[in-house]
Amino acid sequence: MNKKDISELKRRLKKESCTITRMCGCYVDSERNRVVKLGETFLNLDEDEFYKYLEIAKKTLSGTIGNNLLELEFPMEEEATGGRQQFLMALRASELKNDELLERFYDLIIDNYDYAGNYLILIFHDAYDVIMKTHDNNKLDESEEVYEYLICAVCPVSLSKPGLGYRANENRIGPRVRDWVVGLPESGFIFPAFTDRSADIHAVMTYHKNVKEPHTELMEDILGCTARRTATEQKIAFESIVKKAFGGDEDTSQEVFYDIQQGLSDMANEAGDKADEEEPVRLTSKHVGEIMAESNVPENAAAMIENSYQKEFEEEAPFLENLIDTKAVEAGSKLRQNKELVQKVASLQQQLEDTRMLLPASEADDADPGNIKTYDVILRVKPEKASQIKSQYIGGQKCLVIPMEENEHAAINGVNTTV
């Protein structure tokens, strides 16, 4: 599913275009006990409830593809009789009117979902009459197919915060009654996937609110698919690889990570400029090696990072855009700017100091920085030494020769030395 497919489905989850036929659910407490079950004809709900439930359904289609939204394919065994895909197909065909199938569905989630508190399982059934579109995206009245699908949402149910409120029956301010409140989904899925405006029964799109620690048990134990890592998980793993290559040197590892991130960003910009670039770029270990070579990463560390990257992502190389950390790119840019500024200040200070050395002591303190001139060689000697300095060709190279006694000292660029 791409952004257009998801946006098309989200546009349907509005009051004026919603056609959800039925909604069922099960409220589960922290001890995995069923507290209450519900089953409603969706369009018959009171307006307040209708909008709240619709918001929950819509939330399972929100976020970034590859991060909050992960599309999974069913393995062959799950498409056989008794498999999870076959079970979802039967649940969809029942239009949520088969209590036995619903009980099995609730049990599947309750037995496997890893959540410490109370939560509400919601499942929606909808049938979308997909209108045919021409090549210029104009709609026709003819229908291409009826996309029948399920939306599942698992929502946390938590106790409202304590506080004070107006108690109308007592006409006073007192402690507010705390309620159990249904939150927006932690996890969910839509089955089957809606790909190129058509049902793909071999795939399911999952939703994860927490992209750092998604519910992998939803992907594996409930849906029977191989879990995928979110883009955030991939970024964290990649940053960890870079840090390990430099041991405990946090400053160096961070600077190198910033440089690599800038390289990834430049690579993404180049890929975006190519008109024929249709498929997203997958970042291989070879790409990582090339970026590090341009960033002048030490050879030992670069080899370690490249090898670790290959092992970490050997099953499937992540998309380039998944590994770009925009905050790191910005931080790296600021760090480079600060370094350049420090170098410029140091250079100007050295030029000022060199100029002061050329002036008599009485004038050095009053020198105007705006009139500073730069020289390739700056000498400052005692007056009696000035007449001893001569130019001489040595080995075909013009040199300045300054006679020195055995007990005399010289300072070169501010460093004392004995000649």
Side-chain angles (χ1 to χ4, degrees):
M1 293 177 67
N2 55 34
K3 291 181 180 179
K4 287 184 178 180
D5 296 327
I6 291 170
S7 296
E8 185 169 351
L9 291 183
K10 286 179 73 174
R11 285 194 295 270
R12 295 183 41 71
L13 300 179
K14 297 179 181 179
K15 175 70 175 179
E16 62 274 10
S17 52
C18 176
T19 59
I20 293 177
T21 58
R22 187 167 176 79
M23 177 195 72
C24 294
C26 180
Y27 175 35
V28 184
D29 66 18
S30 58
E31 302 297 325
R32 298 179 183 268
N33 299 313
R34 301 185 192 188
V35 179
V36 65
K37 292 185 292 183
L38 59 146
E40 304 282 351
T41 300
F42 195 74
L43 296 178
N44 290 344
L45 289 171
D46 292 338
E47 189 167 314
D48 288 344
E49 288 183 274
F50 180 91
Y51 281 115
K52 292 297 181 183
Y53 283 121
L54 198 61
E55 182 183 8
I56 289 173
K58 192 173 183 178
K59 190 64 178 178
T60 59
L61 291 170
S62 64
T64 307
I65 296 176
N67 206 27
N68 303 96
L69 298 171
L70 299 176
E71 187 169 338
L72 311 174
E73 292 187 358
F74 290 102
M76 292 298 295
E77 58 268 23
E78 295 299 339
E79 297 194 4
T81 303
R84 254 67 66 92
Q85 186 256 17
Q86 286 293 297
F87 171 66
L88 290 175
M89 292 281 287
L91 189 63
R92 180 187 68 157
S94 74
E95 299 182 358
L96 305 184
K97 296 175 183 178
N98 186 313
D99 291 337
E100 181 182 350
L101 289 177
L102 284 169
E103 292 291 333
R104 285 178 56 191
F105 179 70
Y106 299 147
D107 285 340
L108 183 62
I109 294 179
I110 294 170
D111 292 342
N112 294 286
Y113 195 67
D114 185 12
Y115 189 76
N118 300 6
Y119 59 90
L120 175 65
I121 304 168
L122 289 174
I123 184 165
F124 306 83
H125 174 271
D126 190 15
Y128 172 29
D129 193 8
V130 183
I131 301 299
M132 186 182 297
K133 285 186 177 181
T134 60
H135 292 294
D136 56 359
N137 282 331
N138 288 326
K139 293 183 179 179
L140 301 177
D141 291 334
E142 298 179 26
S143 172
E144 290 186 314
E145 70 169 280
V146 175
Y147 169 59
E148 188 179 5
Y149 63 101
L150 302 173
I151 294 178
C152 174
V154 183
C155 307
V157 181
S158 55
L159 203 57
S160 61
K161 294 181 179 180
L164 296 175
Y166 174 63
R167 303 176 72 92
N169 58 334
E170 301 173 17
N171 193 29
R172 72 181 184 90
I173 300 297
R176 189 178 63 188
V177 177
R178 299 179 69 186
D179 298 321
W180 288 96
V181 180
V182 177
L184 292 174
E186 282 282 336
S187 305
F189 66 84
I190 179 169
F191 171 80
F194 185 61
T195 306
D196 293 331
R197 309 190 72 239
S198 180
D200 180 2
I201 62 173
H202 306 293
V204 56
M205 178 67 83
T206 60
Y207 166 78
H208 308 274
K209 179 181 179 181
N210 186 345
V211 293
K212 290 185 177 180
E213 297 179 354
H215 285 273
T216 54
E217 73 277 6
L218 170 72
M219 297 184 263
E220 296 178 339
D221 302 323
I222 296 174
L223 295 173
C225 300
T226 300
R228 285 180 56 194
R229 282 188 284 191
T230 65
T232 298
E233 288 181 298
Q234 292 174 336
K235 287 176 188 174
I236 293 173
F238 183 48
E239 185 174 4
S240 177
I241 288 172
V242 176
K243 285 184 176 180
K244 286 180 180 178
F246 291 91
D249 192 342
E250 292 286 335
D251 292 338
T252 302
S253 65
Q254 186 180 62
E255 188 172 343
V256 169
F257 181 69
Y258 288 164
D259 288 342
I260 294 174
Q261 282 293 323
Q262 183 60 56
L264 295 178
S265 179
D266 294 341
M267 184 178 176
N269 291 335
E270 290 176 8
D273 292 338
K274 297 179 181 178
D276 58 346
E277 193 75 44
E278 297 180 358
E279 292 295 325
V281 177
R282 288 193 179 275
L283 192 73
T284 65
S285 58
K286 182 180 178 182
H287 289 138
V288 174
E290 291 172 352
I291 290 172
M292 288 189 295
E294 294 177 0
S295 301
N296 297 318
V297 180
E299 289 186 9
N300 291 341
M304 189 179 298
I305 292 171
E306 189 171 350
N307 291 335
S308 298
Y309 181 90
Q310 187 171 9
K311 292 178 182 178
E312 184 73 24
F313 300 107
E314 62 181 349
E315 293 185 3
E316 184 179 50
F319 290 118
L320 169 61
E321 61 183 15
N322 286 359
L323 293 185
I324 297 177
D325 187 335
T326 54
K327 291 183 178 179
V329 174
E330 292 174 3
S333 177
K334 290 180 180 178
L335 182 63
R336 285 189 294 274
Q337 289 175 4
N338 289 339
K339 278 190 170 185
E340 290 174 1
L341 182 60
V342 169
Q343 290 174 352
K344 287 180 180 179
V345 170
S347 176
L348 289 172
Q349 287 177 336
Q350 184 62 48
Q351 291 179 28
L352 179 60
E353 183 61 27
D354 291 343
T355 302
R356 289 180 186 279
M357 292 175 64
L358 289 175
L359 299 174
S362 59
E363 300 178 19
D365 293 336
D366 299 327
D368 182 3
N371 294 326
I372 291 177
K373 297 181 180 179
T374 60
Y375 300 88
D376 297 315
V377 178
I378 298 175
L379 298 175
R380 185 176 182 184
V381 298
K382 295 179 181 179
E384 57 269 24
K385 278 282 183 186
S387 59
Q388 300 176 17
I389 300 175
K390 299 178 180 179
S391 64
Q392 183 178 335
Y393 282 90
I394 301 175
Q397 181 72 44
K398 187 176 182 180
C399 304
L400 289 175
V401 179
I402 306 173
M404 297 286 292
E405 300 294 337
E406 290 185 1
N407 62 341
E408 288 184 322
H409 296 267
I412 301 175
N413 290 337
V415 178
N416 290 329
T417 181
T418 301
V419 179

